[in-house]
Short mmCIF file of all heavy atoms in Angstrom, two decimals:
data_model
loop_
_atom_site.label_atom_id
_atom_site.label_comp_id
_atom_site.label_asym_id
_atom_site.label_seq_id
_atom_site.Cartn_x
_atom_site.Cartn_y
_atom_site.Cartn_z
N LEU A 1 119.65 148.04 122.46
CA LEU A 1 121.14 147.87 122.41
C LEU A 1 121.55 146.66 123.18
O LEU A 1 121.08 146.43 124.31
CB LEU A 1 121.82 149.10 122.90
CG LEU A 1 121.95 150.29 122.00
CD1 LEU A 1 122.58 151.49 122.77
CD2 LEU A 1 122.77 149.98 120.80
N ASP A 2 122.48 145.88 122.63
CA ASP A 2 122.99 144.71 123.35
C ASP A 2 123.97 145.15 124.47
O ASP A 2 124.56 146.26 124.39
CB ASP A 2 123.67 143.74 122.36
CG ASP A 2 124.84 144.36 121.70
OD1 ASP A 2 124.68 145.01 120.65
OD2 ASP A 2 126.00 144.21 122.23
N ASP A 3 124.12 144.29 125.43
CA ASP A 3 124.96 144.65 126.59
C ASP A 3 126.41 144.88 126.25
O ASP A 3 127.06 145.75 126.79
CB ASP A 3 124.90 143.51 127.64
CG ASP A 3 123.54 143.42 128.30
OD1 ASP A 3 122.77 144.42 128.29
OD2 ASP A 3 123.22 142.36 128.89
N PHE A 4 126.96 144.14 125.26
CA PHE A 4 128.32 144.33 124.87
C PHE A 4 128.56 145.75 124.34
O PHE A 4 129.50 146.43 124.71
CB PHE A 4 128.70 143.30 123.75
CG PHE A 4 130.09 143.55 123.16
CD1 PHE A 4 131.21 143.09 123.83
CD2 PHE A 4 130.22 144.25 121.97
CE1 PHE A 4 132.47 143.31 123.24
CE2 PHE A 4 131.45 144.48 121.43
CZ PHE A 4 132.60 144.02 122.07
N THR A 5 127.61 146.20 123.48
CA THR A 5 127.74 147.55 122.89
C THR A 5 127.60 148.61 123.96
O THR A 5 128.35 149.59 123.99
CB THR A 5 126.72 147.76 121.77
OG1 THR A 5 126.98 146.75 120.77
CG2 THR A 5 126.80 149.15 121.15
N VAL A 6 126.62 148.46 124.87
CA VAL A 6 126.42 149.41 125.90
C VAL A 6 127.70 149.51 126.79
O VAL A 6 128.19 150.62 127.06
CB VAL A 6 125.22 149.04 126.77
CG1 VAL A 6 125.16 149.92 128.04
CG2 VAL A 6 123.92 149.23 126.00
N ASP A 7 128.25 148.41 127.18
CA ASP A 7 129.47 148.39 128.00
C ASP A 7 130.63 149.05 127.27
O ASP A 7 131.40 149.85 127.82
CB ASP A 7 129.87 146.99 128.43
CG ASP A 7 128.91 146.36 129.43
OD1 ASP A 7 128.13 147.15 130.05
OD2 ASP A 7 128.95 145.14 129.59
N ARG A 8 130.77 148.70 125.96
CA ARG A 8 131.86 149.29 125.21
C ARG A 8 131.68 150.81 125.06
O ARG A 8 132.65 151.59 125.22
CB ARG A 8 131.88 148.65 123.77
CG ARG A 8 133.06 149.08 122.92
CD ARG A 8 133.13 148.32 121.65
NE ARG A 8 131.98 148.48 120.79
CZ ARG A 8 131.80 149.59 120.02
NH1 ARG A 8 132.65 150.59 120.01
NH2 ARG A 8 130.71 149.68 119.22
N TRP A 9 130.47 151.25 124.78
CA TRP A 9 130.21 152.69 124.66
C TRP A 9 130.47 153.42 125.94
O TRP A 9 131.08 154.49 125.97
CB TRP A 9 128.77 152.92 124.21
CG TRP A 9 128.54 152.72 122.75
CD1 TRP A 9 129.40 152.20 121.84
CD2 TRP A 9 127.33 152.97 122.07
NE1 TRP A 9 128.75 152.15 120.62
CE2 TRP A 9 127.51 152.59 120.72
CE3 TRP A 9 126.10 153.48 122.47
CZ2 TRP A 9 126.51 152.75 119.74
CZ3 TRP A 9 125.06 153.62 121.54
CH2 TRP A 9 125.29 153.25 120.18
N LEU A 10 130.01 152.87 127.08
CA LEU A 10 130.23 153.52 128.34
C LEU A 10 131.67 153.62 128.69
O LEU A 10 132.15 154.64 129.21
CB LEU A 10 129.39 152.84 129.48
CG LEU A 10 127.88 152.99 129.34
CD1 LEU A 10 127.20 152.14 130.38
CD2 LEU A 10 127.47 154.43 129.41
N THR A 11 132.45 152.59 128.34
CA THR A 11 133.89 152.60 128.55
C THR A 11 134.56 153.64 127.66
O THR A 11 135.40 154.39 128.12
CB THR A 11 134.46 151.21 128.31
OG1 THR A 11 133.89 150.28 129.22
CG2 THR A 11 135.97 151.21 128.48
N ASN A 12 134.19 153.66 126.41
CA ASN A 12 134.85 154.53 125.43
C ASN A 12 134.36 155.96 125.47
O ASN A 12 135.17 156.88 125.26
CB ASN A 12 134.66 153.97 124.01
CG ASN A 12 135.43 152.75 123.71
OD1 ASN A 12 136.25 152.34 124.51
ND2 ASN A 12 135.17 152.13 122.60
N TYR A 13 133.10 156.18 125.69
CA TYR A 13 132.52 157.53 125.55
C TYR A 13 131.96 158.11 126.87
O TYR A 13 131.66 159.31 126.92
CB TYR A 13 131.40 157.49 124.49
CG TYR A 13 131.83 156.93 123.19
CD1 TYR A 13 131.29 155.74 122.75
CD2 TYR A 13 132.76 157.58 122.39
CE1 TYR A 13 131.67 155.22 121.51
CE2 TYR A 13 133.16 157.06 121.19
CZ TYR A 13 132.59 155.87 120.73
OH TYR A 13 133.00 155.34 119.54
N GLY A 14 131.72 157.30 127.88
CA GLY A 14 131.13 157.82 129.09
C GLY A 14 129.76 158.42 128.83
O GLY A 14 128.97 157.84 128.07
N GLU A 15 129.49 159.55 129.41
CA GLU A 15 128.22 160.23 129.24
C GLU A 15 127.92 160.60 127.81
O GLU A 15 126.77 160.71 127.36
CB GLU A 15 128.11 161.47 130.10
CG GLU A 15 128.01 161.22 131.58
CD GLU A 15 127.89 162.46 132.40
OE1 GLU A 15 127.64 163.56 131.79
OE2 GLU A 15 128.02 162.37 133.61
N ARG A 16 128.99 160.77 127.00
CA ARG A 16 128.80 161.14 125.59
C ARG A 16 128.13 160.03 124.83
O ARG A 16 127.64 160.26 123.71
CB ARG A 16 130.16 161.47 124.97
CG ARG A 16 130.74 162.76 125.50
CD ARG A 16 132.15 163.01 125.02
NE ARG A 16 133.00 161.92 125.44
CZ ARG A 16 134.03 161.46 124.76
NH1 ARG A 16 134.40 162.00 123.63
NH2 ARG A 16 134.74 160.48 125.24
N ALA A 17 128.06 158.80 125.37
CA ALA A 17 127.40 157.71 124.69
C ALA A 17 125.96 158.03 124.39
O ALA A 17 125.38 157.56 123.37
CB ALA A 17 127.48 156.43 125.52
N LEU A 18 125.35 158.86 125.17
CA LEU A 18 123.96 159.27 124.96
C LEU A 18 123.82 160.02 123.64
O LEU A 18 122.77 159.96 122.99
CB LEU A 18 123.44 160.12 126.11
CG LEU A 18 123.34 159.45 127.46
CD1 LEU A 18 122.95 160.41 128.55
CD2 LEU A 18 122.34 158.30 127.38
N GLN A 19 124.86 160.70 123.19
CA GLN A 19 124.81 161.41 121.92
C GLN A 19 124.71 160.47 120.73
O GLN A 19 124.14 160.79 119.71
CB GLN A 19 126.08 162.25 121.76
CG GLN A 19 126.19 163.40 122.71
CD GLN A 19 127.47 164.17 122.56
OE1 GLN A 19 128.09 164.18 121.51
NE2 GLN A 19 127.85 164.89 123.61
N LEU A 20 125.22 159.22 120.92
CA LEU A 20 125.18 158.25 119.83
C LEU A 20 123.75 157.79 119.53
O LEU A 20 123.47 157.41 118.43
CB LEU A 20 126.03 157.02 120.22
CG LEU A 20 127.52 157.30 120.23
CD1 LEU A 20 128.22 156.14 120.97
CD2 LEU A 20 128.07 157.46 118.87
N VAL A 21 122.88 157.84 120.53
CA VAL A 21 121.52 157.37 120.32
C VAL A 21 120.50 158.48 120.43
O VAL A 21 119.31 158.24 120.43
CB VAL A 21 121.18 156.24 121.33
CG1 VAL A 21 121.96 155.01 121.05
CG2 VAL A 21 121.39 156.72 122.75
N ALA A 22 120.95 159.73 120.40
CA ALA A 22 120.02 160.85 120.44
C ALA A 22 119.12 160.80 119.24
O ALA A 22 119.55 160.75 118.08
CB ALA A 22 120.80 162.16 120.47
N GLY A 23 117.80 160.75 119.48
CA GLY A 23 116.83 160.70 118.41
C GLY A 23 116.59 159.34 117.79
O GLY A 23 115.81 159.21 116.88
N VAL A 24 117.32 158.34 118.27
CA VAL A 24 117.20 156.98 117.71
C VAL A 24 116.26 156.21 118.58
O VAL A 24 116.38 156.15 119.77
CB VAL A 24 118.57 156.28 117.69
CG1 VAL A 24 118.45 154.86 117.19
CG2 VAL A 24 119.54 157.06 116.83
N GLU A 25 115.26 155.55 117.93
CA GLU A 25 114.25 154.83 118.68
C GLU A 25 114.33 153.31 118.45
O GLU A 25 113.67 152.57 119.19
CB GLU A 25 112.84 155.36 118.27
CG GLU A 25 112.63 156.79 118.65
CD GLU A 25 111.30 157.32 118.18
OE1 GLU A 25 110.51 156.56 117.59
OE2 GLU A 25 111.02 158.49 118.41
N LYS A 26 115.07 152.87 117.44
CA LYS A 26 115.20 151.45 117.23
C LYS A 26 116.53 151.17 116.49
O LYS A 26 117.12 152.04 115.89
CB LYS A 26 114.03 150.92 116.41
CG LYS A 26 113.78 151.64 115.10
CD LYS A 26 112.47 151.15 114.47
CE LYS A 26 112.18 152.02 113.24
NZ LYS A 26 110.96 151.63 112.63
N GLN A 27 116.97 149.90 116.59
CA GLN A 27 118.27 149.49 116.06
C GLN A 27 118.44 149.85 114.60
O GLN A 27 119.50 150.28 114.16
CB GLN A 27 118.46 148.00 116.24
CG GLN A 27 119.76 147.45 115.73
CD GLN A 27 120.95 147.91 116.52
OE1 GLN A 27 120.89 148.07 117.73
NE2 GLN A 27 122.06 148.18 115.84
N GLU A 28 117.38 149.72 113.83
CA GLU A 28 117.46 149.96 112.36
C GLU A 28 117.91 151.39 112.04
O GLU A 28 118.45 151.64 111.00
CB GLU A 28 116.11 149.68 111.69
CG GLU A 28 115.74 148.20 111.71
CD GLU A 28 115.12 147.80 113.06
OE1 GLU A 28 114.60 148.61 113.83
OE2 GLU A 28 115.23 146.55 113.39
N GLN A 29 117.65 152.30 112.97
CA GLN A 29 118.03 153.71 112.73
C GLN A 29 119.52 153.97 112.98
O GLN A 29 120.02 155.04 112.67
CB GLN A 29 117.22 154.61 113.65
CG GLN A 29 115.76 154.65 113.29
CD GLN A 29 114.97 155.47 114.27
OE1 GLN A 29 114.95 155.20 115.49
NE2 GLN A 29 114.31 156.51 113.76
N MET A 30 120.22 152.94 113.45
CA MET A 30 121.67 153.09 113.70
C MET A 30 122.47 152.92 112.39
O MET A 30 123.68 153.15 112.40
CB MET A 30 122.15 152.09 114.73
CG MET A 30 121.51 152.25 116.08
SD MET A 30 121.95 153.76 116.92
CE MET A 30 123.68 153.48 117.28
N GLY A 31 121.83 152.51 111.32
CA GLY A 31 122.51 152.33 110.04
C GLY A 31 123.22 150.98 109.92
O GLY A 31 123.03 150.11 110.74
N THR A 32 124.04 150.91 108.92
CA THR A 32 124.77 149.68 108.63
C THR A 32 125.51 149.17 109.84
O THR A 32 126.17 149.94 110.54
CB THR A 32 125.79 149.96 107.48
OG1 THR A 32 125.07 150.42 106.37
CG2 THR A 32 126.52 148.65 107.14
N GLY A 33 125.42 147.87 110.10
CA GLY A 33 126.19 147.23 111.14
C GLY A 33 127.43 146.62 110.56
O GLY A 33 127.38 145.90 109.56
N PHE A 34 128.57 146.90 111.19
CA PHE A 34 129.86 146.38 110.69
C PHE A 34 130.40 145.24 111.48
O PHE A 34 131.40 144.63 111.14
CB PHE A 34 130.85 147.52 110.66
CG PHE A 34 130.49 148.64 109.72
CD1 PHE A 34 129.79 149.76 110.21
CD2 PHE A 34 130.69 148.57 108.38
CE1 PHE A 34 129.41 150.77 109.39
CE2 PHE A 34 130.30 149.59 107.50
CZ PHE A 34 129.66 150.69 108.06
N GLY A 35 129.75 144.92 112.64
CA GLY A 35 130.20 143.85 113.51
C GLY A 35 130.56 144.41 114.85
O GLY A 35 130.93 145.57 114.99
#
């Protein structure tokens, strides 16, 4: 994950950010990127 996304997630979701990547091992598993 890039630093911008990590910072945004931590700001927006706090500890819940971990739920976004639960079971995800690589960027491709995150699905379509919208920007």
